[in-house]
Amino acid sequence: MNAKPSYFRRLSRYYLLFSAGFAGFLVALSMLEKEGMPRVWIGYLFMLATITLYAAIGLVSRTSNVAEYYVAGRRVPAMFNGMATAADWISAASFISLAGTLYLHGFDGLAYVMGWTGGYCLVALLIAPYLRKFSQYTIPDFLAARYGGPHHGRYVRIMAVAATIIISFIYVVAQIYAVGLIASRFTGVDFSVGIFLGLASILVCSFLGGMRAITWTQVAQYIIILVAFLLPAMWLSAKHSGNPIPQVAYGKLLPTLGAREASLAHDPKEQEVRAIFRQRADDYGQKLDALPASWDAGRIDAQRRLDAVKQRNVTLLDIRAAEKALINYPKTVEEAAAAWEAARAYNLRRAAAPAPHAEPFVAPDIAQSDQKRNNFLALVFCLMVGTAALPHILMRSYTTPSVHETRVSVFWTLFFILLIYLTIPALAVLVKFDVYTALVGSDFSRLPTWVSYWANVDKLHPLISIVDVNHDGLVQLAEIAIDGDVLVLATPEIAGLPYVISGLVAAGGLAAALSTADGLLLAISNALSHDIYYRIVDPSASTQKRVTISKLLLLAVAFIAAYAASTKPADILSLVSAAFSLAGSTLFPALVLGVFWPRANRHGAVAGMVAGFGVCLYYMVHANPILGGSAAGQWFHIAPVSAGIFGVPAGMLVMAVVSLLTPAPGRDTTALLAHVRAPEQG
């Protein structure tokens, strides 16, 4: 049954009023900024207003009804479900990191745009309509029913729950990490405090109202995300091309940018700076070759420098610097080898000429270019199948009134995602054009204010660093080091917009992180409360008890995730990409073969999930130096972030072989599959 037109109109009216109120809030803050309101107050107002808004929606939408808490009563209209899913999908990785990745890597960064967008086509074609026809609450529900048996699919359910928790937990840690990052950068609070400020907003929303509160909050969050991302991009587009539509304008700038890249590659000053970095890399290479003697000599040298400084009449600052150099010196030969190898690789990257932005797979030779191409295709594959298996995204298939509405909802999701995703490559080009033409070649004494601001946000790991390496007083491209995560957050200042727009962009990034975190935490708590507690531990539990258990578990998981995020485990994009490879390897084969291959059975599903997860995890650990592995352990030179390229085929193959070697599913399973795949209108 379709959602009632009156319900749709009422929702439309509410969100039009919200949009008007949000526009009024922006205008009011702009006027206050003109009157001299301090920047930090603007940051606090944005944080306070948006978090209060999300908490208010959570309070208004609070519920203890099982259907409302788990699936928003199955009455969310397709367009609004599309907006909510888009907000659920556009995480901190998309909003904050993706444009920076494209800025730094050019064409090669398009793998993320193509993979994530293409994954939604798989969701629409292969999974979402069939899940909605099944009409339950969670992904483990579907897998347990499809691969049921003597124990009603208990083992499959437990494995699906374990996979859901691991995948969602990795993903949610990345989102909470981003919340702390944004809160600390724009309000000046400590990183850990920023995490728990954001966590309060997440919990008020998802704790009180479950999927119902999350859905209506995510619609509001999408509106903020859209405005926050498009406004600076449109302004920058109009500034450089005279056309305010960035998706159209940036094609005009690409040839000019390409010519600028070519001139910088052959500029004598640029070559001079790159030669200095190359010499530094060679120095580290010599130290590595001379280990362990070079480590011992360096330690003695650092101690001698400290002793010499103390004997001379120098400032306390010089003494502290010498003490810090000795304290930070590698404690062991192994530590020195790792640190010097990282420093050597860093300086080699700084010594490289700028790669043409629009040219694919740039490398010194054909073999390395082929490796880049293979990694590009592998990453696209992993992101596509990972998208089609993410539990918190697939859960939204259950919230629409009908199968038809689910299909329409996926169309709207793609539309709302593409509004952002088609802007991301344009924004990367526009910012790069601005940096290459306005910043490069400028005088060090006249650096724009945004450079010093972002350089001082995190002094331990600067987000942007510009050092006069060759001491000529002019900025060369090779002297600029930019963290990809700073690009979107700094865009308003790069474009010369008022600070209130910087606050808006921070609010957009916060909305992106919070909306995804809400969905992920709910997916974890629902899997534990519904699939483990209700389905296995206490099947006679009342509806009130089930919802209460879910809320308590959500609270516990949220605090564990916040603690994990406070340790700053890795960059946002790496964490998110790992979750996609694990999701694709573990759940994708069981979901797709479960819908389209009647012969698939529970033995095959269990074996396939174990094999896919095991192969994927083994490769990540085996090939990732951060996890104790080695780049020498890579298969076919595939990066560990694309481990799913091995995990998915392994899961598919093992599932198919084991299913064929064991008894076929019973009549109940065949009947369920026939029901799920039967066409439905309306």
Side-chain angles (χ1 to χ4, degrees), residues 68 147 241 290 330 407 427 453 491 525 534 568 582 607 623 653:
E68 291 285 351
Y147 299 110
S241 70
R407 292 185 185 275
L427 182 63
Y453 173 76
T491 294
S525 66
Y534 174 62
K568 303 183 180 180
L582 287 170
L653 181 63

Short mmCIF file of all heavy atoms in Angstrom, two decimals, residues 68 147 241 290 330 407 427 453 491 525 534 568 582 607 623 653:
data_model
loop_
_atom_site.label_atom_id
_atom_site.label_comp_id
_atom_site.label_asym_id
_atom_site.label_seq_id
_atom_site.Cartn_x
_atom_site.Cartn_y
_atom_site.Cartn_z
N GLU A 68 7.84 0.47 14.83
CA GLU A 68 8.32 1.85 14.68
C GLU A 68 9.81 1.95 15.01
O GLU A 68 10.56 2.64 14.33
CB GLU A 68 7.52 2.79 15.59
CG GLU A 68 6.07 2.99 15.20
CD GLU A 68 5.91 3.90 13.99
OE1 GLU A 68 6.91 4.51 13.56
OE2 GLU A 68 4.79 3.99 13.46
N TYR A 147 18.18 -19.65 4.89
CA TYR A 147 19.03 -20.83 5.08
C TYR A 147 18.63 -21.59 6.34
O TYR A 147 19.46 -22.11 7.08
CB TYR A 147 20.50 -20.41 5.17
CG TYR A 147 20.99 -19.71 3.93
CD1 TYR A 147 21.29 -18.35 3.95
CD2 TYR A 147 21.15 -20.40 2.73
CE1 TYR A 147 21.75 -17.71 2.80
CE2 TYR A 147 21.60 -19.76 1.59
CZ TYR A 147 21.88 -18.41 1.63
OH TYR A 147 22.32 -17.78 0.49
N SER A 241 35.24 30.46 -13.12
CA SER A 241 34.77 30.21 -14.49
C SER A 241 33.62 31.11 -14.92
O SER A 241 33.23 31.10 -16.09
CB SER A 241 34.33 28.74 -14.63
OG SER A 241 33.14 28.52 -13.89
N ALA A 290 73.00 1.45 6.40
CA ALA A 290 74.08 1.35 7.40
C ALA A 290 73.61 0.81 8.75
O ALA A 290 74.40 0.80 9.72
CB ALA A 290 74.73 2.71 7.59
N PRO A 330 64.45 7.09 17.76
CA PRO A 330 63.99 5.69 17.85
C PRO A 330 64.70 4.91 18.95
O PRO A 330 65.93 5.01 19.10
CB PRO A 330 64.35 5.13 16.45
CG PRO A 330 64.38 6.32 15.56
CD PRO A 330 64.86 7.46 16.40
N ARG A 407 11.70 0.15 -4.65
CA ARG A 407 12.41 0.38 -5.92
C ARG A 407 12.50 1.87 -6.22
O ARG A 407 13.56 2.37 -6.63
CB ARG A 407 11.68 -0.35 -7.06
CG ARG A 407 11.75 -1.87 -6.98
CD ARG A 407 11.10 -2.50 -8.21
NE ARG A 407 11.03 -3.94 -8.10
CZ ARG A 407 12.03 -4.77 -8.44
NH1 ARG A 407 13.17 -4.26 -8.88
NH2 ARG A 407 11.90 -6.07 -8.33
N LEU A 427 34.71 19.95 -7.29
CA LEU A 427 35.30 20.71 -6.18
C LEU A 427 36.81 20.47 -6.10
O LEU A 427 37.58 21.40 -5.86
CB LEU A 427 34.63 20.30 -4.86
CG LEU A 427 35.12 21.05 -3.62
CD1 LEU A 427 34.83 22.54 -3.72
CD2 LEU A 427 34.49 20.48 -2.36
N TYR A 453 45.73 29.51 9.68
CA TYR A 453 44.69 28.98 10.57
C TYR A 453 44.72 27.45 10.59
O TYR A 453 44.77 26.83 11.66
CB TYR A 453 43.31 29.47 10.11
CG TYR A 453 42.18 28.83 10.88
CD1 TYR A 453 41.89 29.23 12.18
CD2 TYR A 453 41.42 27.80 10.33
CE1 TYR A 453 40.87 28.63 12.90
CE2 TYR A 453 40.40 27.20 11.04
CZ TYR A 453 40.13 27.61 12.33
OH TYR A 453 39.13 27.00 13.04
N THR A 491 37.48 24.85 2.20
CA THR A 491 37.01 25.41 0.93
C THR A 491 36.38 26.80 1.07
O THR A 491 36.67 27.69 0.27
CB THR A 491 36.02 24.45 0.25
OG1 THR A 491 36.71 23.25 -0.11
CG2 THR A 491 35.43 25.05 -1.01
N SER A 525 22.83 -2.65 17.45
CA SER A 525 21.97 -2.93 18.61
C SER A 525 20.78 -3.80 18.23
O SER A 525 20.37 -4.68 18.99
CB SER A 525 21.49 -1.62 19.25
OG SER A 525 20.64 -0.91 18.39
N TYR A 534 16.18 -11.89 21.28
CA TYR A 534 14.80 -12.31 21.06
C TYR A 534 14.71 -13.64 20.31
O TYR A 534 13.93 -14.53 20.68
CB TYR A 534 14.05 -11.22 20.29
CG TYR A 534 12.65 -11.61 19.88
CD1 TYR A 534 11.68 -11.93 20.83
CD2 TYR A 534 12.30 -11.66 18.53
CE1 TYR A 534 10.40 -12.29 20.45
CE2 TYR A 534 11.02 -12.02 18.14
CZ TYR A 534 10.07 -12.34 19.10
OH TYR A 534 8.80 -12.70 18.72
N LYS A 568 42.27 7.38 17.98
CA LYS A 568 42.68 7.81 16.63
C LYS A 568 43.33 6.65 15.86
O LYS A 568 44.51 6.70 15.51
CB LYS A 568 43.64 9.00 16.71
CG LYS A 568 43.07 10.19 17.45
CD LYS A 568 44.02 11.37 17.43
CE LYS A 568 43.43 12.55 18.19
NZ LYS A 568 44.33 13.73 18.19
N LEU A 582 35.22 -6.19 3.96
CA LEU A 582 34.70 -7.23 4.86
C LEU A 582 33.23 -7.51 4.61
O LEU A 582 32.79 -8.66 4.63
CB LEU A 582 34.93 -6.82 6.32
CG LEU A 582 36.38 -6.88 6.82
CD1 LEU A 582 36.51 -6.21 8.18
CD2 LEU A 582 36.85 -8.34 6.91
N ALA A 607 29.77 -22.01 5.33
CA ALA A 607 31.13 -22.20 4.82
C ALA A 607 31.57 -20.99 3.99
O ALA A 607 32.72 -20.53 4.10
CB ALA A 607 31.20 -23.47 3.97
N ALA A 623 49.10 -8.25 4.26
CA ALA A 623 49.65 -7.30 3.28
C ALA A 623 49.72 -5.87 3.78
O ALA A 623 50.16 -4.98 3.05
CB ALA A 623 48.82 -7.36 1.99
N LEU A 653 32.78 -19.18 -4.26
CA LEU A 653 33.22 -20.52 -4.69
C LEU A 653 32.96 -21.56 -3.61
O LEU A 653 32.39 -22.63 -3.87
CB LEU A 653 34.71 -20.47 -5.04
CG LEU A 653 35.32 -21.79 -5.53
CD1 LEU A 653 34.66 -22.22 -6.83
CD2 LEU A 653 36.83 -21.64 -5.72
#
